[in-house]
């Protein structure tokens, strides 16, 4: 199967640059995965589309304000030119794997400083795979609190506008810090909508997958099977595993909110769909031909052409159905990508 099989033409003006004033006011395309039929709704209409006994599986990872803007430090301690460090993976003992700019001047031994008083400093300790840098940080207090003060949200490269409220790039249920990007399908939920769904008998369970920037990495190979899928750390608590097992036993639907939740449960489900608590790294690559073990439905945003994410939704609903629905979304001027509208595949 070729990467170009998942191409569609997207007018640039349909890429959402800012979130809507109200989260659940987003439009919602409902797609029947078996017939390819679609309908146009709004996200708040989920109360009409979900049924008592269904369960929603949500990714509770919280985005780190992982983009640090600072200065290079000269050997004599004076400050030099500007630099940027983007945290990717916590490697332990105050060392993070990072993307850095300018890469040519931030080699092993180079030092960087952040904040008006230099309250956070770092030293390039070495290189990791792919040219990323290992940065050892020095600070006083709690690292995440320092990061909250000095860091910025690492918005995807296709968003050019400045985000006025950093919490709009967090889900309302985010609680476990560790992602370099938001699990964006969950951005549409409000506390009121979640309460309404719970009141009607829809159960909610949480998994954690810390989203890496690899989710934005384009598929460069002509054949999708040659693509090297990135790895991300995920956790399934026992209570969520139990919820999934009870839902399936009672005939309810397991509906994942976002491709990250989908990849998490599908990574650790048994061959018969039975779930157990689990934690570890996953590099699962879901594309057409994959047989889902747990997932019955998916709430997701509209994805990049030729991306692993559009391949995943095509595995669920069929490539032809998905591309036809995307063409309809373009005709109807849906908003695309992280701050855009949503799709419910059922």
């Amino acid at each position: 199967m070729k990467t170009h099989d998942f191409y569609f033409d997207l007018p640039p003006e349909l890429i959402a640059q800012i979130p809507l004033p109200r989260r659940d006011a987003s439009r919602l395309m409902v797609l029947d995965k078996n017939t390819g039929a679609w309908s146009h709704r709004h996200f708040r209409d989920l109360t009409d589309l979900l049924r008592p006994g269904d369960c929603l599986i949500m990714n509770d990872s919280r985005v780190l304000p992982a983009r640090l803007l600072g200065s290079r430090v000269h050997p004599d301690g004076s400050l030099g030119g500007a630099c940027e460090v983007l945290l990717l993976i916590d490697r332990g003992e105050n060392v993070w794997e990072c993307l850095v700019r300018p890469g040519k001047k931030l080699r092993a031994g180079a030092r960087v400083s952040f904040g008006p008083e230099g309250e956070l400093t770092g030293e390039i300790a070495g290189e990791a795979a792919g040219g990323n840098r290992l940065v050892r940080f020095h600070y006083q207090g709690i690292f995440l609190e320092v990061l909250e003060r000095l860091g910025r949200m690492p918005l995807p490269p296709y968003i050019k506008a400045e985000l006025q409220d950093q919490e709009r790039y967090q889900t309302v249920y985010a609680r476990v810090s560790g992602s370099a990007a938001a699990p964006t399908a969950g951005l549409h939920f409000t506390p009121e909508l979640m309460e309404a769904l719970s009141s009607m008998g829809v159960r909610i369970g949480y998994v954690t997958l810390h989203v890496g920037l690899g989710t934005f990495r384009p598929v460069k190979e002509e054949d999708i099977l040659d693509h090297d899928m990135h790895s991300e750390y995920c956790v399934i608590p026992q209570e969520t595993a139990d919820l999934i097992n009870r839902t399936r036993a009672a005939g309810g639907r397991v509906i994942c909110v976002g491709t990250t939740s989908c990849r998490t449960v599908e990574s650790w489900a048994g061959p018969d769909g039975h779930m157990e608590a689990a934690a570890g790294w996953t590099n699962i690559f879901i594309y057409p031909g994959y047989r889902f073990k747990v997932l019955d439905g998916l709430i997701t945003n509209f994805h990049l052409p030729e991306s692993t994410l559009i391949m995943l939704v095509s595995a669920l609903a069929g490539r032809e159905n998905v591309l036809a629905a995307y063409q309809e979304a373009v005709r109807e001027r849906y908003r695309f990508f992280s701050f855009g509208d949503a799709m419910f595949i059922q």
Side-chain angles (χ1 to χ4, degrees):
M1 191 167 287
K2 304 302 183 184
T3 299
H4 194 69
D5 292 338
F6 299 90
Y7 177 81
F8 65 94
D9 188 31
L10 178 67
E13 66 270 17
L14 296 186
I15 300 174
Q17 293 296 311
I18 58 175
L20 294 178
R22 184 168 175 83
R23 292 175 183 259
D24 62 0
S26 300
R27 298 172 72 187
L28 180 70
M29 177 181 282
V30 182
L31 177 65
D32 187 308
K33 64 186 178 185
N34 297 314
T35 68
W38 60 67
S39 61
H40 302 292
R41 306 290 293 265
H42 286 87
F43 200 83
R44 57 181 174 267
D45 296 335
L46 277 180
T47 51
D48 300 325
L49 299 166
L50 299 179
R51 302 191 291 259
D54 289 342
C55 75
L56 291 175
I57 303 300
M58 299 175 162
N59 181 6
D60 64 4
S61 183
R62 184 172 175 83
V63 186
L64 292 168
R67 184 172 173 235
L68 292 164
L69 304 178
S71 303
R72 304 194 305 276
V73 180
H74 292 310
D76 64 2
S78 63
L79 296 182
C83 69
E84 180 176 340
V85 172
L86 183 62
L87 308 182
L88 297 178
I89 301 172
D90 184 356
R91 296 300 187 188
E93 298 183 346
N94 295 329
V95 174
W96 284 74
E97 183 174 335
C98 304
L99 287 173
V100 300
R101 291 182 186 175
K104 290 183 178 180
K105 296 192 176 183
L106 293 178
R107 302 290 187 182
R111 292 183 296 154
V112 290
S113 176
F114 308 97
E117 305 297 327
E119 58 187 294
L120 177 65
T121 61
E123 180 179 351
I124 310 300
E127 290 198 12
N132 295 340
R133 302 293 193 269
L134 298 174
V135 182
R136 178 173 286 106
F137 287 101
H138 306 279
Y139 54 91
Q140 295 292 323
I142 299 172
F143 183 69
L144 289 180
E145 293 181 355
V146 174
L147 203 59
E148 288 288 344
R149 291 196 300 273
L150 301 181
R152 299 186 182 184
M153 281 296 167
L155 295 178
Y158 46 74
I159 294 178
K160 309 302 181 185
E162 280 292 326
L163 185 61
Q164 300 302 312
D165 178 5
Q166 296 205 120
E167 281 302 306
R168 287 308 307 272
Y169 196 56
Q170 305 278 13
T171 63
V172 296
Y173 49 82
R175 55 188 178 184
V176 184
S177 292
S179 278
T184 54
L187 295 179
H188 306 280
F189 283 90
T190 64
E192 295 81 9
L193 178 58
M194 293 175 68
E195 177 60 32
L197 291 170
S198 295
S199 297
M200 59 178 278
V202 175
R203 303 299 174 224
I204 297 176
Y206 297 97
V207 297
T208 303
L209 182 141
H210 292 316
V211 186
L213 290 184
T215 192
F216 301 115
R217 187 160 61 91
V219 179
K220 297 180 179 179
E221 293 75 11
E222 181 180 355
D223 189 319
I224 68 171
L225 296 182
D226 294 331
H227 177 66
D228 184 20
M229 193 68 177
H230 59 285
S231 294
E232 293 165 314
Y233 188 77
C234 58
V235 177
I236 300 175
Q238 187 63 55
E239 61 184 330
T240 302
D242 292 341
L243 172 61
I244 291 172
N245 293 334
R246 288 197 308 269
T247 299
R248 297 180 73 239
R253 296 179 298 175
V254 177
I255 298 165
C256 288
V257 176
T259 57
T260 59
S261 299
C262 167
R263 293 179 67 238
T264 300
V265 299
E266 290 293 323
S267 293
W268 300 105
D272 61 351
H274 183 75
M275 295 296 307
E276 297 284 352
W281 292 86
T282 180
N283 65 348
I284 189 172
F285 184 11
I286 297 176
Y287 52 86
Y290 179 84
R291 298 187 66 177
F292 289 88
K293 298 177 290 235
V294 171
L295 177 130
D296 297 301
L298 179 67
I299 295 170
T300 185
N301 280 16
F302 290 90
H303 303 294
L304 287 161
E306 300 183 333
S307 64
T308 60
L309 303 181
I310 195 172
M311 294 172 191
L312 185 154
V313 297
S314 295
L316 180 62
R319 185 182 70 90
E320 294 80 7
N321 290 343
V322 167
L323 289 179
Y326 271 52
Q327 290 170 359
E328 170 70 2
V330 170
R331 283 192 295 268
E332 291 294 321
R333 312 297 289 177
Y334 274 66
R335 303 166 76 247
F336 276 70
F337 306 160
S338 296
F339 288 140
D341 296 314
M343 173 182 280
F344 175 28
I345 302 174
Q346 62 175 347

